[in-house]
Amino acid sequence: MPYSGKDQKWLESQLQTDLIGKVIVLKGSVESTNDLTKTLAQKGAADGTVVLADSQTQGRGRRGREWSSEANVGIYLSILLHPTLSPEQAHQITLVAGVGLIEAINTFSQTRAVLKWPNDVLINNKKVAGILTEFYQGGDHNGIILGIGVNVNNSRFPVELQHIATSLAMENSGSLDKLPIIAAIINNIEKEYWRFMDGEFPTIIDEWNQNSDIFGRHISLSLGEQTFYGTAMKLDEEGQLVLETETGEEVAFDSGEITLLD
Ligand code: BTN
């Protein structure tokens, strides 16, 4: 069912936030909630605006990948933020949002969801949610758009995604109501966001580490043309992934694409 005015009222009644979701824009089909949020931002949309759509015709993930956005089954939402942050801190916000997102998802999933660096949420080694963080230049400020996709009630995926994607319904017993999950995502991300702005990033990283199962595992990390192999050790205080290479050396990466090898 598409979102209704009643859904909007219910959602607003569940939010315990001072910033995120004070303005909620509900849409039917859009190309991408991130693109719409950027357009609204350029027209002066308020800090904390949330854009939520029933479906996306050009939903996208990291590295230009398509994000399967079938009508009504998933959560497709973007959050506009206008913080004053250095470029390094702006990149850390994906990890901050990841902690809020995993807490929300695990409130509703009996099968534990875990974080995969930098922005994936997995259940049973398959992707159930992801975050696409994008930046834009406003007239008098720079902005961040946190795009969040969660596979909730999908019962199947296109053939090319079947071995890598899953949904909360497929990993739990039956379909779930999306609205309480959306409220939890917004409430939790706002909580983590204020902790981040208060200088608590190291504690947030501890929580990130506790919510991930990549550590101690053999991984490959591709960065541009290069591939590195080793054991994932932890995220350090800056949110960089520390990899112990086959020679025993520890190397920290601030970006890259990892594959779990065991
Ligand atoms: C990823 O895992 O690569 C990130 C996926 C992010 C998908 C969401 S859905 C809402 C928002 N709009 C988009 O076009 N993408 C993000």
Side-chain angles (χ1 to χ4, degrees):
M1 289 268 287
Y3 297 110
S4 63
K6 199 168 145 221
D7 291 338
Q8 176 145 6
K9 285 215 168 56
W10 187 87
L11 200 51
E12 284 164 359
S13 76
Q14 298 302 304
L15 296 186
Q16 297 146 4
T17 56
D18 295 324
L19 177 70
I20 305 179
K22 289 286 157 197
V23 178
I24 300 177
V25 179
L26 282 190
K27 290 282 174 188
S29 176
V30 298
E31 288 185 354
S32 154
T33 56
N34 269 28
D35 292 345
L36 178 57
T37 305
K38 188 171 174 188
T39 305
L40 296 176
Q42 283 160 343
K43 291 184 185 154
D47 194 5
T49 296
V50 168
V51 175
L52 188 59
D54 296 325
S55 65
Q56 301 182 114
T57 54
Q58 287 174 41
R60 51 173 201 280
R62 280 205 322 150
R63 296 170 189 269
R65 292 190 191 114
E66 186 186 334
W67 183 261
S68 174
S69 306
E70 196 190 323
N72 305 322
V73 293
I75 294 171
Y76 317 111
L77 86 81
S78 298
I79 299 171
L80 173 66
L81 294 168
H82 293 163
T84 312
L85 295 173
S86 67
E88 294 75 37
Q89 287 173 313
H91 282 96
Q92 293 171 338
I93 211 155
T94 304
L95 302 171
V96 175
V99 170
L101 179 61
I102 197 90
E103 284 172 354
I105 288 179
N106 275 327
T107 310
F108 295 91
S109 181
Q110 274 121 45
T111 317
R112 183 174 177 238
V114 288
L115 289 163
K116 176 177 168 243
W117 188 81
N119 70 327
D120 293 348
V121 179
L122 309 183
I123 298 183
N124 286 326
N125 289 318
K126 290 183 174 179
K127 187 149 163 172
V128 72
I131 303 172
L132 175 67
T133 307
E134 295 183 317
F135 303 94
Y136 78 92
Q137 298 266 316
D140 56 350
H141 59 262
N142 295 333
I144 295 177
I145 298 165
L146 285 174
I148 295 165
V150 186
N151 302 328
V152 182
N153 289 323
N154 315 57
S155 52
R156 73 188 99 76
F157 287 93
V159 106
E160 66 280 9
L161 296 179
Q162 280 168 8
H163 63 294
I164 50 171
T166 191
S167 71
L168 289 175
M170 288 159 81
E171 300 295 336
N172 291 280
S173 34
S175 70
L176 287 96
D177 188 353
K178 283 186 294 170
L179 288 179
I181 306 177
I182 294 166
I185 291 172
I186 296 174
N187 283 330
N188 279 297
I189 290 183
E190 167 136 340
K191 184 182 73 171
E192 298 306 329
Y193 179 68
W194 289 129
R195 291 175 69 201
F196 178 51
M197 298 306 279
D198 284 346
E200 288 186 46
F201 188 61
T203 324
I204 298 172
I205 286 300
D206 286 345
E207 282 165 30
W208 201 102
N209 285 331
Q210 285 158 24
N211 276 292
S212 182
D213 75 344
I214 64 172
F215 303 114
R217 291 172 72 177
H218 195 216
I219 63 165
S220 65
L221 183 148
S222 49
L223 187 61
E225 301 289 285
Q226 283 184 295
T227 304
F228 301 85
Y229 292 90
T231 305
M233 302 306 287
K234 61 173 183 181
L235 297 197
D236 67 14
E237 294 215 334
E238 272 99 54
Q240 303 184 105
L241 176 67
V242 179
L243 185 69
E244 187 184 277
T245 64
E246 279 143 347
T247 58
E249 189 193 358
E250 289 200 345
V251 189
F253 293 88
D254 61 9
S255 62
E257 173 91 355
I258 68 169
T259 304
L260 304 171
L261 302 174
D262 55 22

